[in-house]
Amino acid sequence: MQYPYIAKIINDARTETGEQYSLRVLPIMVGSTKTSREEAFGRLLSPYLSDVGVFTVVSSDFCHWGRQFSYTPQPSKTENILQIHEYIEHLDKKGMNLIEMQRPGAFADYLRKYSNTICGRHPISVWLYSLRESALTHEVRFVNYAQSEKARTTRDHSVSYAGAVSRVALFNG
């Protein structure tokens, strides 16, 4: 899904700079799989993330909240959250923080605990295991977060979207 955008950016860079790039794309699709398989696939892909000339794109939406998604968790009375959309953001940001910290095991625990309906949870997990095994240190930061609707009642529905950037750390180690 992201390939046309990547191709456009590369083409625009070529046009602006006049430089020629040798670009190869390896599309990988990850379906539903067990944590042990995610870890194994991460080890297989880690040499690619150990190459400074390689960048990765992992695409996913986040929480699908509403009756039609069979996912309608509510904030507990002890949580200081008043609106459903705030709770959705709270849940999503818990997962996003674990992704930024590059903690695949903790991300798996989070998914088991909250059952958040992140469609790309399996490719995200494979990628996190790849980062963990990489010879290079990477920085991961979320740069954008949005919800399709600010859910306020159980009749509402919402899909969250989050965008992150990852790069090799400037001072590796």
Side-chain angles (χ1 to χ4, degrees):
M1 185 168 149
Q2 301 299 326
Y3 185 70
Y5 301 107
I6 295 167
K8 168 107 174 79
I9 289 168
I10 297 298
N11 190 48
D12 288 354
R14 284 181 184 165
T15 303
E16 289 176 19
T17 64
E19 294 182 38
Q20 293 298 311
Y21 299 100
S22 173
L23 179 67
R24 293 181 289 172
V25 176
L26 175 61
I28 300 171
M29 186 173 196
V30 178
S32 181
T33 187
K34 296 178 183 177
T35 303
S36 61
R37 301 289 291 169
E38 293 168 353
E39 189 170 3
F41 290 133
R43 280 193 304 275
L44 287 172
L45 295 172
S46 69
Y48 296 100
L49 274 70
S50 298
D51 181 339
V52 295
V54 171
F55 73 94
T56 57
V57 175
V58 179
S59 176
S60 179
D61 42 27
F62 267 66
C63 182
H64 290 63
W65 192 95
R67 289 181 185 156
Q68 67 268 45
F69 304 118
S70 300
Y71 188 70
T72 56
Q74 306 282 322
S76 69
K77 301 284 187 224
T78 60
E79 292 174 298
N80 193 20
I81 300 172
L82 300 176
Q83 296 288 329
I84 294 170
H85 66 88
E86 292 170 337
Y87 184 64
I88 294 167
E89 182 172 353
H90 172 73
L91 285 179
D92 283 339
K93 290 203 171 170
K94 280 180 177 280
M96 292 161 62
N97 288 337
L98 295 171
I99 292 168
E100 286 185 339
M101 291 188 292
Q102 301 171 46
R103 298 187 53 208
F107 184 63
D109 291 343
Y110 155 83
L111 291 169
R112 279 189 289 278
K113 180 176 181 177
Y114 295 102
S115 301
N116 197 346
T117 52
I118 301 170
C119 290
R121 61 191 171 276
H122 298 291
I124 290 169
S125 294
V126 168
W127 178 68
L128 288 173
Y129 283 112
S130 296
L131 289 175
R132 186 182 74 182
E133 299 295 323
S134 172
L136 300 174
T137 302
H138 295 78
E139 297 174 355
V140 178
R141 293 288 169 256
F142 277 87
V143 295
N144 199 1
Y145 177 81
Q147 295 175 0
S148 63
E149 181 182 333
K150 298 292 184 192
R152 289 178 170 77
T153 73
T154 55
R155 292 183 306 277
D156 295 334
H157 62 274
S158 176
V159 177
S160 305
Y161 306 91
V165 174
S166 173
R167 64 180 183 179
V168 174
L170 188 56
F171 297 104
N172 206 20

